[in-house]
């Protein structure tokens, strides 16, 4: 079982993740994590903070001499801006400390609901944790899981398929996906769409506005039979959807054709089953599909086809031209307060969604294959592949 | 903490749910459960089985003299068809038992992935549990949770907003929603769309095909501050999405504007905060929203506005004119096997989604308000409402 | 991951267990479960109810044609006495239903704390679930886990080492342990102690009193390396202790020397490590121990030596000569109410403790070896044994 | 729900705890945590390391301006010795790094089982996490929970009742317990026993040996009705036993009379129920007990009487005069390797057990009373006390 927990405030000392259940013997370096942290910070439309950050993860535990040892992996990411915020965010009580209170909650953010729920007079106590900054810790944990998944031939990437209303889906997708996507400032694979997306971002910035979009996450090389149909909370589709919808500002999640499947007849919505060509089918049990409308998940289990997920992100809730709100202290109408913010974070959201996907998938591999050392887990995995092959050995040879 | 577990095969003896963590003192009758079970079985486009079933829930435990007593509530739904299937599905080993083996897996169903994962020669061992019949147990558990939520003024309904490609959203929605929706054979609120939807179902039936659609789930009266922004797996948006995506055949989930929010500028995607009119705002802390684009969830917490969720269902995977498949025994191309099935189950899916929503929400109420008896939980709830009001008492009176 | 949930009241319709996560392909018959249910009902000192019961488990789901299929296993045990209690315990509300109220709580039972916690006027609403009758469901689930463990060569037994103050430990223990223990009416292996124990029970019965005792649970053939030192809640010692202490009336749990270890110097409290003789050490990595004071657990992990656990049970709280109490309605002193009861249940408690041990161990095997079919799990297990042997291959041959 | 996770190696950079689910508005300072960390390090019989450490906790998150804000609380304790161990324990790969390998596993420690389970050539990869140093993180998290419990009038203390075979129970216990216990170098309340315990420690040190013992943990002011009888894993006795047995080197756990209860007749093993005197019974529902043999737990629930737990610790496994072992590389007999160690850690174990008790109890309070702010939780608690009083209002007045 893989578990992960994060802690840390946006302008606090540091962000933290503890990732637990990773087998021993996995090669791991701080740079493996740093690479994804850097990818999360890029993207056209980010504000000034992204320059400040230059996030680096420290491996506080669980890794020794370049290898995991089976114990919990603690990842710490210092907030470089801490010196400027220490007096505001320090844990210690100090009468004269400046608060930078936020009392005019931003529509679309956690400010209002959080202040009421936790009975806080200062919504900063909420927004500091609700900030998307927290996702740096998720990306750090996800980077470790990505490293584990690579042992089993899984590769996870993402690209932006819609930004500020500009739609740009492309098929077939290049492989590895991120080599191509990371080259674009908006992580978009369709060259013609890129300038239009950038123009939307620029226009939004000029208008003091923000934009949202949709990222598609693709996991290739996933073996057939992860997740399960036997219980609602063992289904991998539900677990993945829950993980993606938990990303701040995500309001929709799709698998495969997603909402599009609702409008198609059954005869056009499923994926005919075929026998795999001689050279393929190692991880699909010898089968292949004519299409992949299911996005690699049937009955809550992986089919062995690429996992295709999409997450829709609403525009960032902090606008430079703020929305109407109410002052918590007086009950009077007021403009929402502003925090420094980005115009869009859709490219970054794709990277975060990769991380969440990696964490869920790594958990599913650990569940199916067990094992406390990477070599043991890999041996169990190979045994499963052999079991799949044994079934095919009874078949007539391919003509 | 509310936990729920289900068991049972589609043609086995019975389906079962154990619901745990419901406080004592909740009035509950088998009819409360039966009502939702009946709603699940209705809907134009269902096959012959729906007549057979006439599901009834037996309260095996946890309820005494018409009231919950705090212990786990076990709900049993017998399969009326058991007599016809006993020899096929009996737990006991019997050499000459007929198997009704399924070896030609249906694309879009759990058959293939499940048979490979669990190493079964007969995919019936998989489909019997993967069948949507399992959702009867979810609906039974959900009916109990709905009863609990009613204590707090929460009302959950659903309606079909798309079926077989016919789109029919309507606003404003009637209240109670289900009184209106249950009157339609396709659970659609737009009178003009109903005949078109029915026509699509008829056409699909004639073609040996199936259709999917989208249901919208609405929860009204939900108090502000359920769920939390503090941890990824405490966010209510993620939990709801995970619960809905775990319903068989659901491939997409949206909250509020959902995917539509991705295309709007920030200035049009959020919900301006206002002060509630004198007579309102009891459960929203004295605030109201000009719109409800967020679907009642901000920062992973409820805002007090109605919860608006949508779930997209792909067409049923069992077609009377079967899709291409491969025989598991021989590896030869073959048409997928057929099980008796429906043309569409979108109206039923809405009812199932209500149940999952009820289960998640009931869990969130139990977490926030604690309490082991309904009266205690209600007292804690009232205290929270008073706390919200106390904040407003400091405000200037409304002009 | 193995999960198990129970439901049911002592005089309700039935007891239920749902056991989830058992791999497919495990041979299982209702008789496998019935055998342990019968063992739980025996034992000198049981009251009249034990004759009534004659518990039988029905396999409602998860088993087909004599084999598990991977889905949740639902086990139902009907209460034979239901006809006599239906009017008292029926779920439906009926004005004139007899209540058999309990308002004079029994010291030592859940009556008082439960009535206060759940705010019940009738403590029957508590005691019906708190009754040790619930453990029948545990034993049923445990019997399935025992069946799974047998695939890996694990054998679990128990015996009574103390009853009513008569102490009777014996070493070495016979194998299989239960063949010997089940032959004794008090499940005691020391022939001389048996009559003394029986005499104590008889004396207690004559005095309207009850007696407690201690059972020792032994699991042989457990492989090295289950559980883990890496997290407090992954340690197997903690999980086993939690499971045993959750048995009604158990007030103490020990592993290996237990409390005795506290009084010994380090030089006499640990188990020197040796190289296993040529023919042994398959499941211990080639090592053996001169002693087994640790009871098979070091650092929260199994060592491969037999697991030795002891659970202490206080005397049954329902005395025929009742203790002083207070009437819940009036606040007046009163003698505690009586329910039909046994003089001792220590022999049964050992059987229940075997079940809890089996459930925890089965979970640990599933975690370490993964796998969705028994053959897959066994293959992974064999791979681990080979890995242990490979290490020894580098050693110098035994002289 | 309260969750807690720890990370960190004994000679790594730092130890970490993340505690999640603590309500907002709890006053908290680093000194609150430091106090317990210091208490953990004291005790006659500790080795040189205790001087090195001088543990201090940094509050990395979840606390602002002296108060919790509802988000996860991350506690970091730096290892002061890190400079001396950096080259051995650094996460980065370095060819020439010294390993200080451990290949001769210590009987009684996790070394052997862990090296086999995780397939490590160097048992240091195991012992670094298995070391009792990890309990510093538990104590830090426990200190926060203790602070929360104080809001509800709960006070947790411990004392040593047996050390190196010297038994010293005392009753009645002083209150607050720790004011007295912390004054003794062996945390023993019986003045006459103290010199004997110290003499045993000295003798063991001279002999290169170690000693164990038993600590008793007492929680006063706990309200009636925490935990539950309705499910095996909701019972508080099981949860407490699991938490205590998960402490390194603990081999036995008792509640109330514990193993002693097994030898008594029922008439002498339970606690007669009485009506509380006018001035008492606030947290017990108006009842009191003539005795407290149950140790404050009946039916898996608190009775409102003091919680009495005992944990038995075996002697430390690292002896200066090492035990027989086998070299992992060669399979040859060898003396076990030594790490710097203490002669006894029983006084510290009591402090750790207090922390585990506090964590479990805080979780039980959060479950029963819900609430996201301390004031809300307290209001719910007060409502429960009023509910208990309302019941008594119907009673005849005390004579």
């Amino acid at each position: 079982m893989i578990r992960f927990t994060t802690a840390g405030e946006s302008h606090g000392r540091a962000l933290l993740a503890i990732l637990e259940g990773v087998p021993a013997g996995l090669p791991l370096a701080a740079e493996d994590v740093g690479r994804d942290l850097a990818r999360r910070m890029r993207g056209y439309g980010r504000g000034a903070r992204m320059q400040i950050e230059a996030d680096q993860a420290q491996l506080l535990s669980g890794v020794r001499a370049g290898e995991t040892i089976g114990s919990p992996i603690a990842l710490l990411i210092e907030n470089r801006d801490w010196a400027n915020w220490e007096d505001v965010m320090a844990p210690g009580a100090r009468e004269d400390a400046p608060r930078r209170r936020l009392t005019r909650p931003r529509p679309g953010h956690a400010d209002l609901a959080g202040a009421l729920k936790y009975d806080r007079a200062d919504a900063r106590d909420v927004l500091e944790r609700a900030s998307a900054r927290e996702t740096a810790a998720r990306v750090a944990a996800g980077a470790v899981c990505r490293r584990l998944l690579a042992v089993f031939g899984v590769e996870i990437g993402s690209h932006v398929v819609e930004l500020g209303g500009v739609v740009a889906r492309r098929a077939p997708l290049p492989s590895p996906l991120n080599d191509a996507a990371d080259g674009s400032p908006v992580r978009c694979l369709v060259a013609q769409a890129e300038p239009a997306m950038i123009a939307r971002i620029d226009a939004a910035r000029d208008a003091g506005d923000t934009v949202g979009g949709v990222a598609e996450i693709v996991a290739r090389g996933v073996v057939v039979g992860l997740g399960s149909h036997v219980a609602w909370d063992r289904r991998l589709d539900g677990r993945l959807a829950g993980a993606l919808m938990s990303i701040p500002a995500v309001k929709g999640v799709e698998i495969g054709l997603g909402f599009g499947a609702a409008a198609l007849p059954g005869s056009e919505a499923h994926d005919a089953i075929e026998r795999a060509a001689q050279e393929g089918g190692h991880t699909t049990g010898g089968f292949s599909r004519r299409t992949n409308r299911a996005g690699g998940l049937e009955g809550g289990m992986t089919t062995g086809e690429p996992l295709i997920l999409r997450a829709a992100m609403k525009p960032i809730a902090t606008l430079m031209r703020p929305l109407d709100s109410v002052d918590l202290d007086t009950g009077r109408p007021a403009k929402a307060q502003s925090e420094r913010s980005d115009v869009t974070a859709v490219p970054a959201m794709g990277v975060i969604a990769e991380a969440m996907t990696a964490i869920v998938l790594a958990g599913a591999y650990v569940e199916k294959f067990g094992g406390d050392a990477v070599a043991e887990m890999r041996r169990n995995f190979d045994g499963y592949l052999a079991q799949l092959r044994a079934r095919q050995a009874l078949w007539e040879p391919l003509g």
Side-chain angles (χ1 to χ4, degrees), chain A:
Chain A
M1 179 180 42
I2 282 197
R3 296 186 287 198
F4 101 104
T5 313
T6 73
E9 277 75 47
S10 179
H11 298 97
R13 264 274 297 276
L15 290 162
L16 268 160
I18 297 181
L19 182 69
E20 216 216 288
V22 174
L26 180 72
L28 188 71
E31 295 74 46
D32 294 324
V33 179
R35 203 174 306 124
D36 275 352
L37 289 177
R39 290 178 61 236
R40 176 188 159 277
M41 293 171 65
R42 281 191 226 120
Y44 196 84
R46 308 304 297 275
R49 182 160 193 192
M50 293 301 112
Q51 274 75 48
I52 300 173
E53 289 177 289
D55 283 337
Q56 307 242 317
Q58 297 172 42
L59 299 168
L60 289 191
S61 73
V63 182
R64 186 183 173 217
E67 220 178 67
T68 60
I69 58 173
S71 34
I73 300 170
L75 300 140
L76 183 134
I77 304 163
E78 286 182 7
N79 283 328
R80 301 294 167 107
D81 214 13
W82 172 238
N84 299 324
W85 282 86
E86 188 164 0
D87 51 358
V88 176
M89 293 299 297
R94 215 187 81 196
E95 289 249 325
D96 60 339
R99 302 265 332 175
R100 298 206 203 175
R101 277 185 77 207
L102 188 144
T103 62
R104 289 170 282 122
R106 293 161 298 168
H109 215 291
D111 302 350
L112 179 56
L116 296 175
K117 175 186 179 72
Y118 288 97
D119 202 20
R120 310 307 293 164
D122 180 0
R124 176 162 305 286
D125 290 351
V126 173
L127 71 95
E128 283 288 334
R129 178 67 188 158
S131 157
R133 173 92 187 119
E134 182 262 346
T135 58
R138 302 194 192 195
V139 167
V144 180
C145 290
R146 186 195 294 275
R147 196 75 197 69
L148 177 61
L149 291 168
V151 172
F152 304 96
V154 177
E155 179 240 317
I156 301 177
S158 71
H159 61 121
V160 171
V161 297
E162 185 182 324
L163 202 156
V166 181
V167 176
R169 294 207 182 166
R170 190 187 118 185
L173 296 170
S175 174
L177 181 53
N178 282 340
D179 284 3
D182 287 343
S184 158
V186 285
R187 308 199 72 251
C188 176
L189 297 173
V190 181
Q192 307 93 298
E194 204 180 280
M197 288 177 174
I198 289 176
R200 293 283 171 100
I201 295 171
D202 289 338
R205 181 185 290 111
D206 292 346
D209 214 330
T210 58
V211 294
V214 178
E216 184 169 83
I217 302 93
V218 180
R220 285 201 186 83
V222 178
V223 77
V224 64
L226 301 177
S228 175
H229 67 286
V230 300
W232 75 277
D233 54 356
R234 289 182 187 252
R235 290 180 66 105
L236 202 61
D237 43 12
R239 286 202 234 167
L240 286 164
L244 293 192
M245 195 70 98
S246 81
I247 300 172
V250 168
K251 301 297 280 186
V253 176
E254 291 186 319
I255 299 171
L257 291 184
F259 277 85
L264 293 172
S267 51
E268 296 173 30
H270 301 291
D271 306 301
I273 300 172
E274 299 186 330
R275 192 157 158 183
Q278 213 105 32
E279 69 277 11
H282 302 303
T283 56
T284 58
F287 300 91
S288 74
R289 302 299 181 110
R290 235 171 267 157
T291 51
N292 184 22
R293 294 152 174 167
L297 285 164
E298 284 181 342
M301 288 171 281
T302 52
T303 61
E305 298 296 311
L307 222 57
I308 313 279
L309 311 164
R310 269 180 306 283
M313 186 186 208
K314 66 179 183 183
I316 286 174
T318 307
L319 279 73
M320 289 304 115
R321 192 175 289 183
L323 299 173
D324 289 349
S325 185
V326 168
D327 190 285
L328 293 175
D329 289 343
T330 63
R332 260 185 248 149
K335 287 290 172 188
Q337 225 155 311
S338 277
E339 289 274 302
R340 187 177 45 192
S341 186
D342 304 325
V343 176
T344 195
V346 176
M349 185 270 284
V351 176
I352 300 159
E354 290 174 33
M356 294 308 292
T357 302
I359 292 168
V360 172
L361 279 182
Y365 270 90
V366 165
E367 265 172 38
K368 173 137 187 71
F369 299 110
D372 295 297
V374 168
E376 181 181 11
M377 199 176 157
R378 174 75 213 199
R379 183 177 63 231
N380 296 349
F381 173 76
D382 289 339
Y384 179 58
L385 295 190
Q387 167 189 318
L388 294 176
R389 272 194 307 274
R391 201 185 254 271
Q392 303 159 47
L394 306 172
W395 293 351
E396 304 159 29
L398 267 177

